[in-house]
Amino acid sequence: MPDTIRGPGAGSRRRASTLFPGRRFGPLFALIVLIGAGALLTTCVHRPDALTQVQRSGVLRVATINSARTYYLGPHGPKGFEYDLARGFAQSLGVKLRMVIVPDRAAIIQAVNSGRAQIGAGLAISPGRDARVRFTPPYLSTPLDAVYRQHASKPTKLADLSGRLVLPDNSALAAWLHRRHPDLQFTVDRTANTEELMARIAHGDIDATVANADLVAMNQRYYPKLRVGFTLKGVRQQMAWAFAGTALGHRRDGLYNKAIAYLVQARSKGRIKILHNRYFGHAARLGFVGGAEFARQVKKRLPRWKHYFKKAGREYGVDWRLLAAIGYQESRWNAKAASPTHVRGIMMLTRNTAQRMNVDNRSNPQQSIDGGTRYLLQLRKRLPKTVKPPDRTWFALAAYNLGLGHVLDARRLLKRAGRNPNVWVNLRDALGWLSEKRYLQHTRYGYAQGKQAVAYVSDIRAYYDILMWMTSDKKRQHKPAALDEQPSASGADQGDDKNTPPDISITSPAF
């Protein structure tokens, strides 16, 4: 019968003699102990914390996936909500940003815990992940929508979807549904992401799924047959940054603390709101009917004028799809269009504008597109230098619709209110003030239908995004860009280009 260790008496000595019988092993045992002690001392050498590593290298490494909501390469360089947020943090630390692009969200956690990256971005908090990484408090909370197809019976509760619901491979949401709705029958498709599932719904292949509300609004522009039945209660997607495992929770980590402080400040000062508007704020504006009609006209009318838009784009360094989006918003690509206010042509130029742009015939599509492009660039150039891309584009579009003087008036009103006059999310509010009596005494150009300009810009942004998607070789990825976005100096470690499903959080907001 094997011995057991019972204490400091004979039993313990007997056990030791069983493990190391005979005195001849004494020197070998001592050598093993010495080697083990040396290895232990080697591993106990103090390693610098993450903040020190970043400061010494001058580089912040952030792991994420390639997707519409995180990071992607636009026509002029890296873009994405998570990319811009991480870039701001790197700038606050005075270091460069390096994006580490991995194939899926599980790989984000692996990259962080292995030391390949200091931060994981594009993750939602979930109990399973909470045990593997340390999350910051969430900085963005988004509802989840139940999505179905037009003309199908509208679901109003989860029970209506039982047996019809298909989810992406996301254990957090599936586990939540099993726990909260044990009678609900659904399928988990481990081969598809959320965007693919929405495409299948639009094509009639499956009945319903659940998706992040921002992603739903974006995809409704591409698939006008998608509908939202209801918003789930008791669950939201909570986005947060991830740091190396929870074992470090008792150790001082300056980078983790600085990240929390940065995110809290970014939220309190409106930075996160600005970024959210930049990438998702215009998504739901177009509506189902408008999106379907636009897609129809892309095939029916655009081919007649596409070469003129492309020619102007090449000549003046503007994405032709943005010019085409403006043309559709102005005239629905009707070269003979005219309004009661005597604006004409595809780009709907006034007489005065046409004269300044040396346009002889506003109904001539080539002249109209060329003149409208030069006018837009002129407006953009006249804006204050403090207005940076991509917001500079939206300011110029508002001026195209409303007049530059009114846009400058709106900036003045923002200054009086103590708000940043250089970002679109604020200008959008101030343009609406131009029709309110109490503000007019503080303007130079008086009353204006500013809300109309806001809708105008939002529609163009939506049309532009649809054109970007329809003319892309990779339609499964949403890659919006702006007229004057500049390439970033930041690099990215490229991994597999895989569009993965958004994560689900079942925790409540921390701030």
Side-chain angles (χ1 to χ4, degrees), residues 482-494:
L483 171 69
D484 49 0
E485 291 174 352
Q486 297 301 319
S488 168
S490 304
D493 297 334
Q494 297 292 335

Side-chain angles (χ1 to χ4, degrees), residues 463-483:
Y463 296 140
Y464 179 37
D465 281 353
I466 295 174
L467 277 174
M468 290 284 290
W469 179 80
M470 294 183 74
T471 59
S472 171
D473 291 334
K474 299 169 78 173
K475 291 184 180 180
R476 64 185 178 86
Q477 277 199 324
H478 171 72
K479 297 185 177 182
L483 171 69

